[in-house]
Amino acid sequence: MLLSSPTTDLLKKAGDAKKYPDNHLLLIYDSTKVDVKPSGLSYFYTHKLYKVLTQKGALDVSVIKYGYDPLTAYADIVKAVIYRKDGRVEELVTNDHQHEKVLDYPAPARGIYWGSREKMLEVGRLEPGDALEVMLFKKGFSYALLDNDDDRYIPPMFGSFYDIVPFWSDDGAHTFIQTKVYWLRLPADKHLQYKFYHGDVEEKHMRSVDASHSVDIYIFTKKDIKPYEHEPFMVSPYDMAPKLLLSTAENWEAKSKWFYKVNEDYGSFKSTPEIKAKVSEILNGAKDQMDSVTRLTHWAGDEIRYSGLTMGKGEGFTLHSGSMTFRDRCGVCKDKAGMLITLLRAAGFESYPAMTMAGSRIDEIPADHFNHCVASVRLKDGKLHMLDPTWVPFRRELWSSAEQQQNYLIGTPKGNPLAETPLSPAKDHYVNITNNSELTNDGTLNGEISIVAEGQSDASVRSMFMYYFKTQWESNVEKEMLDVFPLAKIQSVEYGDPYNYLSSPITIKIKYSIPDFAIVSDGNMIFKSISASGIFRRAQNHLNYDTTLTSRKYAFRDRCSRLVRIVDNITIPAVKEIVYLPAEKKTDGNAASFEGKYVVNGKNVKLEETVTLNKRVYESSDWPEFRNVVAAQVKLNSEKIIIKY
Amino acid sequence: MTKYLRLTTIFILFLFLISCKHTITQKDYPDADAVFIKLNKEFTLNDDGTMNYHYSHELKLFSYLSFNSRYGETFITYNPKFQKLKVNKAITVNDKGAEIHSPNNAFNEVLPQFAANAPAYNYLREMIITHTGLERNATINLDYEISTQKDFLPALMGNEIINNSSPVRDYDFTVKVPKGKKLFYKLLNSDVKPDSSVKDNCTTYTWKFKEVPAQPVESMQPASNMHLIRLLFSSSGNISSLIENIVKQDAFKYELNEEIRKEVNGERKANSEEGRGNRKNTLNTENIQLKTALLLQKKVVEEFNYYPIPASITGFKCKDAVNIWKSNGGTELEKAVLLKSLLMNAKINSEILAVSYPYYSAKDKINQLFDNFIIKAKLSNNDVIYLSPTHTNDLNQIYDLQRYLFYALDKSSVLSSLPNENFTNSAEVKGTMKMSNDNILTGDINLQLKDRFNTFYKYMLNQEAYNSTFNNIKEGKLKSSDELVSVIDLTIENKKAYTKEKNFVFFNIPEINNGISTWGLNFLPEKRNTPFELPSSINEDYNYSIQLPAGFQLLSGKADINIKNNAGALILKIQQIGNTLTVKKEIRINNKIIETKDYNDFKSLMNVWNNRKYRELVFSCKS
């Protein structure tokens, strides 16, 4: 389709490992042709020509796999030809023969059991210099199931088409793409919106008119695509690498209305006597509206476990009925959201489902870039508030702040625009580490350290219990201390009942004695604060960032906004002289700030640190501030106090 | 009369009480997340050679963890070419006693993840049963059977750990064999004796276990799980029957075609010439053969996909070398076949060994399901090397395989074990260094690495691999290297040798990069209930002489410690004489596995080794 010259000529001209020393594979062309019918039914023809540059590259293409959901799509590997470097050509699969080599089987699965399948072709051993031509065919949509022949592949939003097309090469694949083409034909009466992000693309638009109908043809071409350079904690490639978004939907409001209607029509949120009885039981004694919403959200979060069974027709875009989820007590995010909406409506609340994208941005082109489903509820302030029963089990939130700065679309009768969740204040995710201790003349530190954490910081700390057997809990707490101070003797630990997460922020207390904590010699005592030693690092994800990176090309992410406060009181023997006290560190900024200092007052040495990190997703321009904060904390934590006593 | 009535009432009450089934609650198992109230496993060998496996359990869930991430699904892998799966029951009884049957869509058959990229094994299947209606205090009732055609395996065999991830209240383990057929078995770490009975031409052995504790969750338990309750059994005492079954396949002719020979012979020739070119360094003629073996291993490991499919689920079916080559991938057994075929082509004698676990012994005559294989090669100088077919070896794999037994995969089926050598596993580090006033540490380091520390094979393929042994290497030389010892001379230059605060200097004593300090042994709690497994026994020894700048005075870290106990020994002597700092630091841990009785001794050695004051020395200095 793309070729104007025979494949062998293309291969000769393509270059080899000497020309592309950093790459394992050369993708000479990666061409996708999409033919959209008036119904929205789409035929995808993908055609690729790989040249193997290294043995690692050969391994990468020794098996070709193509996944599909048989309820909504038909897929096949229709052509595969090996061009050996010595000129031999081996046809593995062509349209008319050897099709039996293509294996069709149920795909491996964990967590979601919707009957996904894969096609697989064994290519076998290739050598550097060999090439592989592959043609894939798919018709259908990413979700739909209707009756009769091709009707099952027509998208549920009838007549609509969208696509999200990466124009990047993942650095992990080490593939250099010489030419990537996306070719789209669709009826001219469809209004296509499209935009190319994060770079340039060559585009062409043609209209072809014949006796029966007219069609628009769009061609997007990009050449010489190098793998992008990875930066630690960078945002998703969808947020920084070249991509093409296309959609025939009018706007997000239209998608919102469709999403509302498809679930209402199915009856996803109909209640039953059993559900009503459960709602009454859950709300028995509820204090107010917020208490009711909290109880219902956490019931759906905790009692509906994440495991996806298929509902058959409609799976993927329809929320399971409340009665099905209530009976199964399991579902994926959309089913947990559906259960919550059913509960809320049964309790008299106005509630709607919403789609969101965890992990990357949703842009203004209404292409369905969604991977997650949540719920919304209208409270007495008249506004719709977001609830996420999938991300809040055993978390003291109704909407996970690990999803702040995240786009979402609520399905409502009148249609809602695309929205974004606000920043969650750092103070809502505080970590308070407090130590009160006494240093004896022989350098032993005796004391009690505690951590109290809220919001997503609570979740980070509580995770040392929630993902482990009860028999591991105490040991996990001890490990926090012994990993940093192997000589520590743990006298007692307290952590309450971690499952009782709604009662109060997680609180852990450790009473300890650490021999040889301080270096004691010739009347000198040298030590650091235990709180600044890296204990409870699990609640301080920012300490995992490498500050030797001076600048960043791309935006980056933390787990959540966060406020860390450390107060460490150490009673020391009578001080004759303070030989060295680490200097106060302070760095201000809008995105992040740090303040930390030691103060000596008589026999008391006090360390106070405050780290404020205001975002989850940071711009690359925020990096200097963020980096300064991390570096300042690390520096202060690493310095020692030296006294004469 | 009153007395009679009272006795009758008491008797009726007694009958009522014993007829009431005690409801198991969290109070009965306060530390458990779940409990198997009943667990049954039944293995049957039928007269016609077919086999059945019948599993059932009644599992009560107490915590969210139990159903969110542990027992919400049951995963059953099987081989549909030879086996049939039948699920008899998947019912949840909820907290209120209602039964919830897993619906039809809760039974999903998929490709097992371990076969995800293996076209030749695309037929294997995993049944995923989703248990619905789960909540705290619900009980899962599960019952399924797998029937197996005859000739899939030559005998009924099993190797079952009785301890589960949660405690088991009643566990019945049954093995049935045709009447007159002997069952070979061995139960480890338990005194339970089987009840045996004969009925309907069938001999039944049943072990009834009560209150089986959950598997302990302590870290670094021995990989062989020798400390758990384990039942080994087989219906045949003839180990060669399984091996004969395996080796009668064409794969075990180890044939290559002309295309493969041409490629590997070409590569071998090129490497041989390169080897001779480097001979003046370390390679002698014998080593060229070793290098050839290592390069062939590298080729099999790195250029061919590895399918981590247990050999037993395939019935030990094995592609031949030509098809492994063509398909560009294989299982562990297939990679072993390919490697042996390539070694044969290179005229290196070798054999494939099936790895048998240390708890088996020849006298028990229990057939077993092998899943791991290694290559034993004998070089022209009579050196014997052990190579993995799935990962490259930095050194002879003999060091990882002590205590294991091996069966040769040939008609002889010879059982062998490695000589129980008392490896020293030593790293001896000597250094003469000089620290300058401007924070630079320079000097010469000599490393003598033996046994497990001697990554001889790595040096064989890359003589500059010493670069990873130590930090701040300015230049170095692999002085000599052979199977027994590698000697490395290094010149180091550390331009940030210490940190300084006021008139105090903090200096970390340099160590090798793969010593005991890098083994993650900080977390050693006071109590330990299970044996503790280290990567190996160890003998790590440092002797440094460091010339200090004028005015440097050692404040902290002075030591003269000598400990010897059941776990090993430790010597620590740190002192300053004049301007010279001398450091003698040695730890010896006698065994790879620290038994619980020796744990406190081990911890006492590690506490000194890990003590920060002996790792970071403090000097006073003039400003």
Side-chain angles (χ1 to χ4, degrees):
Chain A
M1 134 182 104
L2 177 81
L3 303 180
S4 56
S5 55
T7 299
T8 44
D9 287 351
L10 274 178
L11 292 171
K12 276 180 196 165
K13 292 176 194 165
D16 55 17
K18 280 183 190 163
K19 188 174 174 187
Y20 300 98
D22 299 328
N23 303 105
H24 295 303
L25 282 171
L26 185 62
L27 190 47
I28 296 171
Y29 58 78
D30 175 0
S31 166
T32 300
K33 177 181 175 181
V34 186
D35 194 359
V36 182
K37 302 299 177 193
S39 63
L41 169 64
S42 304
Y43 294 81
F44 293 78
Y45 305 86
T46 301
H47 194 184
K48 297 182 182 188
L49 179 62
Y50 293 96
K51 187 167 185 182
V52 174
L53 301 176
T54 66
Q55 206 65 56
K56 167 77 175 65
L59 211 55
D60 287 348
V61 290
S62 60
V63 173
I64 300 291
K65 290 197 289 189
Y66 197 28
Y68 69 104
D69 176 358
L71 297 182
T72 61
Y74 168 83
D76 208 354
I77 300 168
V78 294
K79 185 179 181 186
V81 180
I82 296 172
Y83 300 87
R84 299 285 179 191
K85 61 184 171 188
D86 60 9
R88 286 177 296 147
V89 177
E90 294 168 31
E91 289 189 337
L92 298 177
V93 179
T94 63
N95 278 326
D96 50 359
H97 76 285
Q98 293 186 317
H99 207 76
E100 68 283 357
K101 286 186 179 174
V102 178
L103 304 166
D104 184 354
Y105 56 93
R110 282 293 182 271
I112 301 176
Y113 310 108
W114 289 352
S116 292
R117 297 185 70 83
E118 283 175 340
K119 297 275 173 118
M120 180 194 279
L121 174 69
E122 181 177 287
V123 173
R125 186 168 174 81
L126 299 174
E127 302 282 347
D130 291 346
L132 175 69
E133 181 188 1
V134 181
M135 195 178 279
L136 311 169
F137 171 70
K138 184 173 86 173
K139 63 179 171 182
F141 207 67
S142 56
Y143 44 69
L145 179 62
L146 302 172
D147 296 321
N148 303 325
D149 301 323
D150 276 1
D151 283 357
R152 66 197 309 211
Y153 309 129
I154 295 170
M157 192 174 178
F158 187 85
S160 72
F161 168 80
Y162 74 84
D163 207 353
I164 300 157
V165 190
F167 267 74
W168 70 73
S169 173
D170 193 325
D171 64 336
H174 290 284
T175 301
F176 188 98
I177 305 172
Q178 286 188 329
T179 303
K180 183 174 175 74
V181 178
Y182 185 83
W183 187 103
L184 173 67
R185 178 167 66 191
L186 76 174
D189 60 353
K190 290 192 188 296
H191 173 65
L192 181 73
Q193 299 183 67
Y194 65 88
K195 187 172 177 183
F196 196 85
Y197 292 83
H198 313 130
D200 301 321
V201 73
E202 181 190 326
E203 61 177 83
K204 284 183 189 167
H205 175 215
M206 294 163 276
R207 176 158 294 183
S208 158
V209 182
D210 63 25
S212 59
H213 58 290
S214 61
V215 292
D216 280 333
I217 294 172
Y218 298 85
I219 305 171
F220 302 88
T221 307
K222 192 169 178 67
K223 290 186 178 292
D224 295 335
I225 303 170
K226 290 180 191 171
Y228 64 79
E229 286 175 28
H230 179 80
E231 288 178 354
F233 299 102
M234 67 189 278
V235 291
S236 156
Y238 285 100
D239 294 354
M240 44 63 67
K243 68 175 181 182
L244 172 66
L245 298 188
L246 315 101
S247 176
T248 60
E250 186 186 348
N251 51 33
W252 283 117
E253 285 81 350
K255 285 270 178 190
S256 163
K257 278 195 272 189
W258 166 80
F259 187 54
Y260 167 79
K261 189 170 181 306
V262 74
N263 287 296
E264 296 297 334
D265 289 351
Y266 178 70
S268 298
F269 315 121
K270 278 184 190 161
S271 191
T272 64
E274 291 79 16
I275 293 173
K276 282 180 182 159
K278 178 54 77 175
V279 169
S280 297
E281 181 191 322
I282 296 167
L283 296 185
N284 183 24
K287 293 192 288 280
D288 52 27
Q289 189 187 52
M290 207 58 226
D291 187 26
S292 298
V293 170
T294 301
R295 290 174 179 221
L296 294 173
T297 302
H298 285 295
W299 190 90
D302 297 351
E303 303 295 340
I304 306 299
R305 70 189 185 90
Y306 190 95
S307 185
L309 302 179
T310 182
M311 62 186 276
K313 179 178 176 177
E315 188 54 87
F317 62 91
T318 312
L319 281 59
H320 289 185
S321 68
S323 59
M324 178 180 172
T325 308
F326 189 71
R327 179 200 66 199
D328 292 345
R329 296 291 165 99
C330 66
V332 295
C333 55
K334 67 180 176 59
D335 312 320
K336 294 183 73 150
M339 183 76 256
L340 176 56
I341 294 161
T342 307
L343 296 171
L344 286 164
R345 288 192 183 182
F349 287 95
E350 182 185 347
S351 177
Y352 303 107
M355 298 182 284
T356 183
M357 180 68 197
S360 69
R361 194 178 72 212
I362 301 172
D363 290 293
E364 70 270 30
I365 300 293
D368 295 23
H369 198 183
F370 301 117
N371 65 357
H372 187 34
C373 185
V374 292
S376 65
V377 64
R378 195 176 302 281
L379 296 182
K380 58 188 173 190
D381 61 4
K383 294 176 185 168
L384 285 173
H385 293 256
M386 302 307 294
L387 307 168
D388 187 347
T390 304
W391 282 38
V392 298
F394 315 110
R395 282 163 170 74
R396 294 171 49 76
E397 293 192 296
L398 299 178
W399 173 258
S400 165
S401 297
E403 298 178 276
Q404 60 184 286
Q405 298 168 278
Q406 184 167 298
N407 300 108
Y408 64 93
L409 181 72
I410 304 176
T412 59
K414 292 182 179 173
N416 265 35
L418 187 69
E420 182 177 322
T421 56
L423 287 169
S424 181
K427 67 179 174 51
D428 292 350
H429 309 282
Y430 66 77
V431 181
N432 291 343
I433 299 174
T434 309
N435 180 57
N436 289 300
S437 58
E438 185 173 5
L439 198 50
T440 60
N441 282 335
D442 65 354
T444 301
L445 188 74
N446 298 307
E448 180 179 280
I449 189 167
S450 69
I451 183 168
V452 184
E454 179 57 294
Q456 284 298 310
S457 297
D458 170 288
S460 296
V461 176
R462 202 177 291 271
S463 66
M464 77 169 84
F465 306 106
M466 306 320 297
Y467 302 127
Y468 296 90
F469 285 117
K470 284 178 190 171
T471 48
Q472 292 170 283
W473 288 358
E474 188 161 329
S475 162
N476 285 355
V477 176
E478 288 183 4
K479 191 170 188 305
E480 285 288 326
M481 174 68 83
L482 292 177
D483 272 346
V484 187
F485 299 102
L487 274 62
K489 295 182 187 344
I490 311 289
Q491 288 157 351
S492 67
V493 295
E494 287 177 39
Y495 45 78
D497 176 8
Y499 277 121
N500 191 13
Y501 64 100
L502 284 175
S503 66
S504 59
I506 185 85
T507 302
I508 299 174
K509 292 179 184 171
I510 307 174
K511 271 190 184 165
Y512 61 84
S513 174
I514 309 175
D516 289 333
F517 178 83
I519 292 165
V520 179
S521 177
D522 291 349
N524 296 296
M525 193 172 268
I526 303 169
F527 58 95
K528 290 198 292 189
S529 154
I530 182 175
S531 311
S533 61
I535 192 168
F536 300 122
R537 197 183 168 104
R538 65 174 63 239
Q540 300 183 68
N541 188 49
H542 55 282
L543 292 175
N544 295 322
Y545 287 68
D546 177 6
T547 55
T548 59
L549 194 67
T550 53
S551 64
R552 283 177 176 269
K553 270 190 193 171
Y554 312 122
F556 62 101
R557 294 183 292 192
D558 195 354
R559 283 185 196 149
C560 183
S561 45
R562 185 179 308 117
L563 173 66
V564 180
R565 287 180 295 225
I566 294 174
V567 178
D568 197 328
N569 290 296
I570 312 166
T571 303
I572 55 175
V575 181
K576 283 184 186 167
E577 180 193 348
I578 297 168
V579 179
Y580 182 76
L581 197 66
E584 181 177 352
K585 310 276 186 304
K586 191 171 182 182
T587 168
D588 288 327
N590 292 325
S593 63
F594 175 75
E595 191 171 0
K597 62 181 176 185
Y598 279 98
V599 176
V600 179
N601 187 0
K603 290 170 73 175
N604 185 259
V605 177
K606 185 175 189 180
L607 166 70
E608 286 185 297
E609 286 185 6
T610 304
V611 183
T612 310
L613 301 164
N614 289 318
K615 298 182 183 181
R616 180 180 70 90
V617 182
Y618 294 85
E619 298 302 319
S620 57
S621 57
D622 291 329
W623 175 241
E625 264 183 28
F626 189 96
R627 176 176 177 255
N628 285 345
V629 164
V630 176
Q633 191 188 4
V634 169
K635 172 75 175 154
L636 187 61
N637 289 356
S638 67
E639 290 183 294
K640 300 174 179 75
I641 303 157
I642 307 170
I643 60 167
K644 278 200 182 296
Y645 70 104
Chain B
M1 188 65 180
T2 311
K3 188 180 173 187
Y4 174 75
L5 273 174
R6 196 179 295 148
L7 283 171
T8 307
T9 308
I10 291 169
F11 181 68
I12 291 169
L13 192 61
F14 174 73
L15 286 178
F16 173 75
L17 285 173
I18 61 168
S19 66
C20 285
K21 191 178 175 186
H22 172 61
T23 304
I24 303 296
T25 67
Q26 177 84 77
K27 282 182 184 169
D28 297 306
Y29 296 89
D31 296 329
D33 288 81
V35 62
F36 289 90
I37 296 170
K38 186 80 187 154
L39 200 159
N40 293 329
K41 287 187 182 182
E42 185 179 288
F43 294 80
T44 305
L45 173 65
N46 299 311
D47 274 337
D48 60 0
T50 59
M51 298 172 197
N52 291 86
Y53 171 59
H54 189 180
Y55 176 93
S56 65
H57 75 220
E58 192 183 336
L59 171 65
K60 181 137 189 181
L61 310 169
F62 297 134
S63 72
Y64 286 102
L65 178 96
S66 67
F67 58 90
N68 280 337
S69 55
R70 301 289 168 170
Y71 306 117
E73 280 83 23
T74 296
F75 304 96
I76 308 163
T77 50
Y78 70 106
N79 183 336
K81 279 192 178 177
F82 297 91
Q83 296 178 312
K84 277 189 183 160
L85 169 69
K86 185 181 167 207
V87 180
N88 300 318
K89 187 163 69 172
I91 299 172
T92 300
V93 179
N94 72 12
D95 189 25
K96 290 182 177 163
E99 285 193 354
I100 299 120
H101 291 247
S102 288
N104 287 342
N105 60 352
F107 299 89
N108 289 284
E109 213 171 44
V110 303
L111 179 70
Q113 186 62 46
F114 56 62
N117 296 305
Y121 298 97
N122 195 262
Y123 58 85
L124 296 174
R125 288 293 177 265
E126 177 182 48
M127 170 62 83
I128 301 171
I129 303 171
T130 302
H131 300 291
T132 55
L134 300 186
E135 60 184 356
R136 284 173 299 162
N137 298 315
T139 303
I140 297 171
N141 290 283
L142 174 70
D143 188 310
Y144 70 85
E145 293 170 70
I146 297 173
S147 54
T148 304
Q149 293 174 20
K150 65 175 183 177
D151 298 334
F152 179 60
L153 292 170
L156 181 69
M157 292 171 267
N159 176 349
E160 297 279 326
I161 294 176
I162 302 300
N163 305 88
N164 268 270
S165 50
S166 288
V168 187
R169 192 163 180 250
D170 281 305
Y171 190 156
D172 285 0
F173 196 104
T174 303
V175 185
K176 294 179 176 177
V177 292
K179 186 181 168 187
K181 190 155 188 81
K182 186 174 177 184
L183 182 72
F184 298 84
Y185 61 85
K186 182 158 105 176
L187 181 65
L188 303 172
N189 301 314
S190 169
D191 296 328
V192 172
K193 305 287 180 216
D195 298 329
S196 67
S197 61
V198 180
K199 192 181 173 187
D200 300 332
N201 283 328
C202 177
T203 308
T204 301
Y205 299 82
T206 302
W207 287 261
K208 288 182 178 294
F209 300 94
K210 302 281 182 195
E211 301 296 352
V212 182
Q215 285 187 17
V217 287
E218 291 173 322
S219 61
M220 299 181 82
Q221 292 180 55
S224 59
N225 285 319
M226 291 278 283
H227 53 294
L228 300 178
I229 305 171
R230 182 188 291 270
L231 183 62
L232 312 170
F233 63 90
S234 78
S235 61
S236 163
N238 178 11
I239 188 72
S240 61
S241 62
L242 172 62
I243 291 175
E244 280 168 15
N245 236 29
I246 297 171
V247 300
K248 71 184 180 191
Q249 299 174 83
D250 283 349
F252 294 85
K253 294 176 183 164
Y254 306 110
E255 289 173 348
L256 300 175
N257 63 18
E258 191 49 41
E259 182 188 342
I260 301 170
R261 273 196 292 272
K262 193 176 162 191
E263 178 175 329
V264 293
N265 290 346
E267 286 175 355
R268 200 169 81 240
K269 191 178 169 198
N271 289 324
S272 173
E273 282 162 6
E274 185 192 329
R276 272 196 288 276
N278 290 335
R279 216 170 122 186
K280 59 179 180 279
N281 291 325
T282 57
L283 294 180
N284 51 36
T285 310
E286 289 75 23
N287 282 347
I288 288 175
Q289 203 179 32
L290 173 58
K291 187 177 177 184
T292 300
L294 295 175
L295 287 171
L296 289 173
Q297 181 199 34
K298 192 169 187 284
K299 187 175 188 71
V300 170
V301 169
E302 294 179 358
E303 293 184 15
F304 293 83
N305 287 308
Y306 169 48
Y307 312 140
I309 302 170
S312 48
I313 201 171
T314 70
F316 297 91
K317 297 291 175 287
C318 187
K319 286 182 287 184
D320 63 34
V322 172
N323 278 307
I324 297 164
W325 182 279
K326 276 186 184 167
S327 64
N328 216 43
T331 61
E332 185 166 332
L333 179 57
E334 287 170 339
K335 283 200 160 202
V337 165
L338 179 60
L339 181 52
K340 177 174 160 70
S341 305
L342 297 176
L343 289 167
M344 274 175 69
N345 177 65
K347 301 193 170 25
I348 297 173
N349 290 325
S350 67
E351 56 187 328
I352 301 174
L353 303 181
V355 180
S356 173
Y357 302 97
Y359 36 76
Y360 282 102
S361 74
K363 66 178 170 55
D364 298 323
K365 294 186 174 178
I366 301 173
N367 249 318
Q368 56 193 289
L369 296 165
F370 305 111
D371 279 323
N372 296 108
F373 304 90
I374 55 163
I375 295 284
K376 177 184 178 185
K378 194 170 182 185
L379 306 181
S380 54
N381 61 353
N382 288 326
D383 277 358
V384 176
I385 63 171
Y386 292 84
L387 300 174
S388 163
T390 58
H391 62 269
T392 53
N393 294 107
D394 288 345
L395 66 165
N396 199 332
Q397 199 166 357
I398 191 171
Y399 299 103
D400 292 329
L401 296 170
Q402 287 293 297
R403 303 175 69 187
Y404 283 78
L405 301 171
F406 308 95
Y407 288 92
L409 274 201
D410 56 32
K411 284 174 186 168
S412 71
S413 309
V414 169
L415 174 70
S416 61
S417 60
L418 295 175
N420 200 8
E421 293 182 33
N422 200 7
F423 296 119
T424 58
N425 296 325
S426 69
E428 200 175 319
V429 185
K430 289 178 184 163
T432 307
M433 292 168 273
K434 183 180 180 184
M435 195 188 291
S436 73
N437 251 326
D438 51 355
N439 202 355
I440 298 174
L441 181 75
T442 53
D444 297 322
I445 300 281
N446 172 268
L447 305 177
Q448 285 210 38
L449 307 172
K450 289 181 184 169
D451 302 331
R452 203 174 182 283
F453 282 98
N454 177 18
T455 52
F456 170 50
Y457 294 176
K458 192 162 80 169
Y459 303 138
M460 169 70 66
L461 298 186
N462 175 11
Q463 292 187 42
E464 294 188 353
Y466 60 75
N467 272 328
S468 60
T469 55
F470 218 80
N471 290 335
N472 304 303
I473 296 173
K474 191 179 176 190
E475 54 190 48
K477 187 183 173 189
L478 183 63
K479 203 172 167 186
S480 65
S481 182
D482 59 32
E483 185 82 41
L484 298 176
V485 59
S486 287
V487 180
I488 298 167
D489 282 340
L490 302 173
T491 302
I492 61 156
E493 182 180 67
N494 183 359
K495 291 180 177 173
K496 285 183 182 171
Y498 54 76
T499 56
K500 190 176 176 188
E501 280 160 12
K502 284 282 182 182
N503 296 340
F504 294 86
V505 163
F506 301 89
F507 169 69
N508 282 300
I509 299 171
E511 290 184 2
I512 54 172
N513 286 336
N514 60 345
I516 198 166
S517 301
T518 65
W519 290 0
L521 301 177
N522 276 9
F523 176 53
L524 298 173
E526 293 293 327
K527 286 182 239 163
R528 178 86 191 185
N529 298 313
T530 56
F532 192 100
E533 185 170 53
L534 298 171
S536 73
S537 61
I538 190 169
N539 195 338
E540 193 173 336
D541 183 13
Y542 298 89
N543 286 280
Y544 291 140
S545 171
I546 303 172
Q547 192 184 336
L548 302 169
F552 271 49
Q553 193 60 47
L554 182 64
L555 273 187
S556 165
K558 289 171 197 162
D560 190 357
I561 300 169
N562 200 328
I563 305 171
K564 196 172 178 184
N565 59 31
N566 285 336
L570 181 137
I571 299 171
L572 200 58
K573 193 165 186 180
I574 302 170
Q575 61 180 341
Q576 181 178 351
I577 300 169
N579 270 358
T580 302
L581 175 76
T582 60
V583 175
K584 163 75 180 173
K585 185 174 166 180
E586 181 181 0
I587 188 164
R588 191 186 77 233
I589 305 294
N590 297 333
N591 297 306
K592 180 180 165 74
I593 293 176
I594 313 293
E595 299 297 341
T596 47
K597 67 180 174 51
D598 294 329
Y599 174 75
N600 285 340
D601 280 355
F602 170 67
K603 183 172 163 57
S604 69
L605 296 176
M606 289 310 301
N607 276 355
V608 178
W609 186 264
N610 285 330
N611 192 331
R612 204 176 300 186
K613 82 174 175 185
Y614 302 126
R615 306 181 66 77
E616 185 184 55
L617 307 182
V618 184
F619 298 91
S620 64
C621 69
K622 292 171 187 170
S623 56

